[in-house]
Amino acid sequence: MLLQFLRRSLEMIDDSAWSSQMSLELSQQMAGYASPSKEKSFLYKALGTSLAACKDLVHVKSQIYTHLTTTDYMEAPERQGVISILAFCAESHLDLTLNALQEFGAAMSKVKISGFISHLKDYHRGTKGKTRSTLMLTYSNVAVHAPKEQLLSRVEADITGNVLHHYRTSCQVLGITVTNKDMYLKLTLIQNVTEISCAILETRDSQKFEFSYKVELLGYMLDFIKKEPRDSLASPVRYKAILAIGHLSKLKPSLTLEKNHELLDQCFKSLFPLPPLEKMRKEEGETAKNALPIQSLYVESLEALGKLMKTLLELEPTANWFWKMFQLLETWLHSGKEWERERALQASIQLLTAYQETVHSTIIYEYNEEHWSQD
């Protein structure tokens, strides 16, 4: 509410010199607060808000570059701070913010590191990796904050395209693409996919918009799920990727039922064969005091699967598609392993509930509509 009050106050004052001075004062105030702290986190957002209200574009660009170039990207609070500044600034200055991100990313790529050892040292420290991950998250946060009427014209080439550029570059060592084993980088791309998909879905023309990166991004999410170990549940990658797939699935172009069938099959194969919950806790060395992480990941994974099934059923609310989905579960319902049958049964209950809320209600509505028209 305080940020809204600040934004409206600056708009009513409508004085670029005053709002410019306000942004400088907020920048100076940050030095007086510990990092991390709620106060400093708020100041980052307030700075972005004041820049959004400022009409002196030269000043706005200067402030953005100052924070992009002086941020310590090895510190998580500072990374989140620069993300907040640019995301809130994009509410009024989308073009300027995207151009600044593009120029900063291009300048970073041109920096040459002399010597093989220096390159390895930089790679080991992870400075460039953290910087690229921050830029990726900034782009998707900008998508969330961007004016809805401007987003669709920029979301592919200027936002998603740059996210994927930084992701691919982060997967390279000495110019050679390697398998991504970095959990933080995977979670970053998953968050990008979720935020960008949700931002598109909130626009007025989302159902007409054809998202050209949809299939490629789905491929990454499925790959992450396939690469997760089948004998442990130690990271949130699995369930967050399933949630991201659900958001992506709602976008155009629509996938064929066969593709959705394969997608759901992979999710089942990733979750159902996991060892029993108690066994995973024991192997991870969990005690009663710290047993929450695996328990939480397990519950969230099954909930994510339920949401995905409901989404896929809503996209094709027919009894035939419901039956195809249920047939995938039948194999697991006849498994020789009790825990696999238990998970398949839980998923079946989720699917039946989704059927009741979508297909069944649709059939009743269509029947009643036809009956009323005849009357």
Side-chain angles (χ1 to χ4, degrees), residues 46 119 129 137 198 241 249 263 275 301 366 369:
H119 197 136
L137 291 173
C198 290
S249 297
L263 186 155
S301 297
E366 290 175 349
E369 190 177 49

Side-chain angles (χ1 to χ4, degrees), residues 47-74:
L47 174 56
T49 300
S50 66
L51 291 175
C54 182
K55 296 180 181 178
D56 183 350
L57 299 186
V58 175
H59 173 77
V60 174
K61 184 176 181 180
S62 173
Q63 285 289 290
I64 287 177
Y65 270 107
T66 295
H67 287 279
L68 280 172
T69 54
T70 59
T71 292
D72 182 356
Y73 290 96
M74 295 303 290

